[in-house]
Amino acid sequence: MTSYAATTASRATKPILYSTISSFRKFRRNVSPTQSIGFVPTMGALHEGHLSLVEKARHHNDIVIASVFVNPTQFGQGEDFDKYPRQLEQDSELLADYGVDHILAPSIDDMYGNHHATVVNVKGFDNIPEGLARPGHFQGVATIVTKLFNIVQPTNAYFGQKDAAQCVLIQRIVEDLNMDLTVVVMDTIRESDGLAKSSRNAYLTPIERQAAPVVYRSLQTAKQLFDQKPNASSAELVAATRSVLQSEPLVSEIQYISIDSKDTMQPVAQPKAGAIISLACKVGTVRLIDNIVL
Ligand SMILES: Nc1ncnc2c1ncn2[C@@H]1O[C@H](COP(=O)(O)OP(=O)(O)OP(=O)(O)O)[C@@H](O)[C@H]1O
Ligand SMILES: CC(C)(CO)[C@@H](O)C(=O)[O-]
Ligand code: BAL
């Protein structure tokens, strides 16, 4: 990452934290239409992946807004909603260092109330591999992101390629619902050993953490095979990826390995350059996802 944080370490103004949608709206109504707003939605527990989005937003907008909201509707039964790390104070300090102007962190009650009945459902996403692995997840994401866009009304919104299907989903919503904003997708930020940064990496035990880079290594193996043999089928590339994952005893479950169109995230049998290979697996009990572009 570049050194924006270092140059702003002594930034005079701290971000303003809004814990209610109505207090945020009072501020938002007074923003001049000539000012651009960069928006970074997050679930908190921030790391350099999130901060790369903030950094980009800071460089390209007059005002930068981040949201911190652990959205219950995108977690399925038995998933980690309850234990998802929550550390708003520490996140606010990081966002201050990176030059964020405003933080929206509403409660679940404020966001959903008692009578919430509207959902946003983008056709097809229940049937892609990540949608099948997490039933209801994409409806939850589509609904909360639409709500956040309505509240924040950003000029530009920033998302990470690590959640590849989420990026395609959000681009679809913006186009289909004629939203007047630009979606910017940023590369996945990795640890030095290749593991994609993720808030959920904190769940890994030290020994699982040592094993976890196998995820990225397995994807790189597929990419190398594709580079050597551009007519390789998806089945061949998936088999190569699977065999690397299976060589690591701490990989306890492979949920899917899939090669998908970059525009729709629908699986393709014969990949072309630009297709995305993505996977979800468990290292110990921790579910990790990752992808790379072929
Ligand atoms: N390593 C990363 N590089 C770039 N962007 C990232 C990275 N990790 C997360 N993001 C992006 O940050 C935004 C907020 O993601 P989120 O708060 O879910 O973080 P996360 O670390 O992916 O958490 P999780 O553990 O839930 O996967 C999303 O747009 C996501 O794609
Ligand atoms: C976009 C998002 C903030 C919606 O809750 C979440 O899915 C995430 O953090 O990627
Ligand atoms: N990073 C995507 C949010 C989720 O896993 O629920």
Side-chain angles (χ1 to χ4, degrees):
M1 258 198 294
T2 49
S3 57
Y4 183 81
T7 61
T8 56
S10 58
R11 199 183 161 84
T13 46
K14 285 194 98 177
I16 302 172
L17 176 68
Y18 303 89
S19 53
T20 65
I21 295 167
S22 63
S23 61
F24 178 84
R25 282 221 154 112
K26 280 190 196 131
F27 140 71
R28 181 64 187 86
R29 275 188 212 113
N30 291 318
V31 175
S32 154
T34 61
Q35 292 201 289
S36 60
I37 295 184
F39 177 43
V40 182
T42 81
M43 300 204 302
L46 302 181
H47 51 64
E48 285 173 5
H50 303 108
L51 296 172
S52 72
L53 310 185
V54 170
E55 206 165 50
K56 184 79 171 178
R58 183 65 282 168
H59 279 113
H60 291 273
N61 297 276
D62 299 315
I63 297 172
V64 178
I65 300 172
S67 61
V68 176
F69 181 70
V70 185
N71 173 38
T73 66
Q74 70 189 71
F75 289 78
Q77 289 237 321
E79 290 189 10
D80 57 340
F81 174 72
D82 288 336
K83 76 165 181 178
Y84 199 85
R86 289 159 173 89
Q87 47 184 57
L88 185 56
E89 212 163 297
Q90 192 179 317
D91 288 344
S92 303
E93 277 168 27
L94 273 172
L95 293 172
D97 289 347
Y98 277 75
V100 166
D101 302 300
H102 302 270
I103 303 171
L104 173 63
S107 67
I108 293 171
D109 263 9
D110 195 23
M111 188 56 92
Y112 286 108
N114 291 327
H115 306 290
H116 198 276
T118 304
V119 294
V120 178
N121 189 17
V122 184
K123 285 183 191 163
F125 279 78
D126 274 351
N127 295 322
I128 64 170
E130 181 69 4
L132 290 167
R134 299 187 68 185
H137 170 69
F138 286 116
Q139 181 176 293
V141 172
T143 303
I144 192 64
V145 170
T146 302
K147 285 164 71 67
L148 287 166
F149 284 173
N150 282 336
I151 296 164
V152 174
Q153 299 172 52
T155 319
N156 300 298
Y158 297 82
F159 294 89
Q161 174 66 20
K162 197 200 82 186
D163 295 286
Q166 174 170 283
C167 293
V168 174
L169 174 92
I170 290 162
Q171 278 160 328
R172 187 79 269 128
I173 295 171
V174 166
E175 201 178 313
D176 291 355
L177 299 183
N178 309 96
M179 293 178 172
D180 188 14
L181 64 98
T182 302
V183 174
V184 181
V185 176
M186 300 290 296
D187 287 347
T188 302
I189 303 293
R190 300 180 180 280
E191 303 287 354
S192 56
D193 58 13
L195 178 64
K197 299 224 179 210
S198 165
S199 313
R200 291 186 170 101
N201 293 347
Y203 300 155
L204 295 164
T205 64
I207 190 163
E208 289 164 353
R209 173 64 190 81
Q210 273 187 346
V214 72
V215 173
Y216 184 51
R217 270 205 316 280
S218 73
L219 293 170
Q220 281 180 308
T221 300
K223 167 87 176 125
Q224 280 155 12
L225 179 56
F226 180 73
D227 289 346
Q228 285 157 15
K229 197 179 164 195
N231 62 349
S233 66
S234 291
E236 278 177 85
L237 299 176
V238 166
T241 310
R242 184 178 299 279
S243 117
V244 176
L245 281 178
Q246 284 174 334
S247 71
E248 171 48 65
L250 289 179
V251 172
S252 54
E253 183 185 339
I254 300 173
Q255 294 188 341
Y256 64 81
I257 304 168
S258 184
I259 302 185
D260 308 312
S261 148
K262 71 170 174 26
D263 300 319
T264 62
M265 291 308 282
Q266 294 294 332
V268 292
Q270 192 61 54
K272 296 197 183 84
I276 293 176
I277 177 161
S278 58
L279 67 84
C281 70
K282 284 192 176 173
V283 174
T285 58
V286 184
R287 182 175 193 271
L288 299 176
I289 61 167
D290 200 355
N291 68 81
I292 59 173
V293 178
L294 289 177

